[in-house]
Amino acid sequence: MGLQDIKDKTAAAEAAAGRAPGSVTVIAVSKVQPDARVHAVLSEGHRTFGENRVQEAAGKWPGFREEFDGIDLHLIGPLQSNKARQSFELFQCIHSLDRPKLAKTFARLAQETGGCPDLFVQVNTGEEPQKAGILPADADAFIKDCLGMDLPVRGLMCIPPADEEASLHFALLAKIAERNGLKGLSMGMSGDFEAAIALGATHIRVGSAIFGARETG
Ligand SMILES: *Cc1c(COP(=O)(O)O)cnc(C)c1O
């Protein structure tokens, strides 16, 4: 438990998979954590964080940015189109590009503002009706459309079904990324980040194993 432990396990998993040290970015998922816990992880020197709600991020991160330089904030939760503009101001990276309408909104905002956060396309690898994401069968065409709009798509993201072997989903995501020439893989959470690293994760999203259990959310 804790940041150092996750960093050590990440380094060990990189080595075990024959991957370069530092090739995996640890996103500390700070959603609904008390500010004091987030402050402690910032004070340890960590700068890469993930939030799943725009509103919550807008409430807490401007304050932390006044105190700490170089914060790299990632949106990992679903995004409503009407919050896209705000998300461009708050986040350096968005992992939840999950539908054509949002891609069009991003393209328009990128033109207007002259910039765009790094993007991951979320793939619904488990084809779960209640879950966001592009279906695997539609992924190639969607990625092509996004790149055609000059969107900075860096990779793919998935959240495997809770009751299935996560590695099967990680392997599927890696395969879709590879055939589309994408290098980034946002996959792996507290319970399965080592398996994700073995299958090529470049970004792991770890919350409770760094900060402790969440009270809600
Ligand atoms: C909350 C969340 C995480 C982190 O989950 P933990 O099990 O606490 O590590 C990762 N990814 C997404 C999309 C999340 O919403």
Side-chain angles (χ1 to χ4, degrees):
M1 273 279 301
L3 177 66
Q4 193 53 51
D5 181 48
I6 297 305
K7 282 190 178 168
D8 292 345
K9 286 180 170 149
T10 297
E14 285 171 343
R19 300 184 51 194
S23 53
V24 177
T25 299
V26 178
I27 301 170
V29 178
S30 49
K31 63 184 183 195
V32 308
Q33 295 288 354
D35 282 355
R37 284 192 196 162
V38 181
H39 194 274
V41 171
L42 280 161
S43 299
E44 281 183 75
H46 197 72
R47 290 294 179 269
T48 307
F49 290 83
E51 290 284 345
N52 72 336
R53 291 208 175 88
V54 176
Q55 236 28 64
E56 187 185 340
K60 69 205 235 202
W61 284 97
F64 287 136
R65 283 192 197 277
E66 283 179 19
E67 192 177 347
F68 297 94
D69 285 331
I71 289 170
D72 182 29
L73 197 60
H74 294 239
L75 178 65
I76 61 170
L79 178 62
Q80 294 165 261
S81 296
N82 64 7
K83 296 215 171 87
R85 182 182 297 275
Q86 195 181 7
S87 75
F88 267 46
E89 290 159 12
L90 283 167
F91 298 99
Q92 282 64 57
C93 183
I94 296 173
H95 294 237
S96 47
L97 173 50
D98 61 0
R99 58 192 190 279
K101 185 182 174 210
L102 195 57
K104 289 197 189 87
T105 303
F106 283 175
R108 181 170 48 74
L109 284 171
Q111 282 230 316
E112 209 179 296
T113 64
C116 184
D118 286 338
L119 301 172
F120 284 77
V121 169
Q122 183 172 350
V123 181
N124 186 356
T125 56
E127 306 188 25
E128 296 173 281
Q130 80 283 8
K131 213 169 253 176
I134 300 290
L135 292 172
D138 300 332
D140 295 2
F142 182 70
I143 293 162
K144 197 158 167 271
D145 286 348
C146 291
L147 294 172
M149 287 187 267
D150 279 335
L151 291 175
V153 176
R154 306 298 181 212
L156 306 179
M157 178 270 219
C158 76
I159 307 172
D163 56 353
E164 286 182 28
E165 178 55 57
S167 288
L168 298 174
H169 296 271
F170 298 156
L172 173 59
L173 197 72
K175 201 170 112 192
I176 298 171
E178 192 185 5
R179 71 173 181 240
N180 285 283
L182 295 173
K183 297 212 160 56
L185 287 171
S186 168
M187 59 190 197
M189 319 199 327
S190 289
D192 53 24
F193 68 92
E194 287 155 306
I197 291 169
L199 289 163
T202 59
H203 293 70
I204 56 172
R205 311 178 309 265
V206 181
S208 45
I210 290 176
F211 293 102
R214 288 180 289 275
E215 319 263 301
T216 56

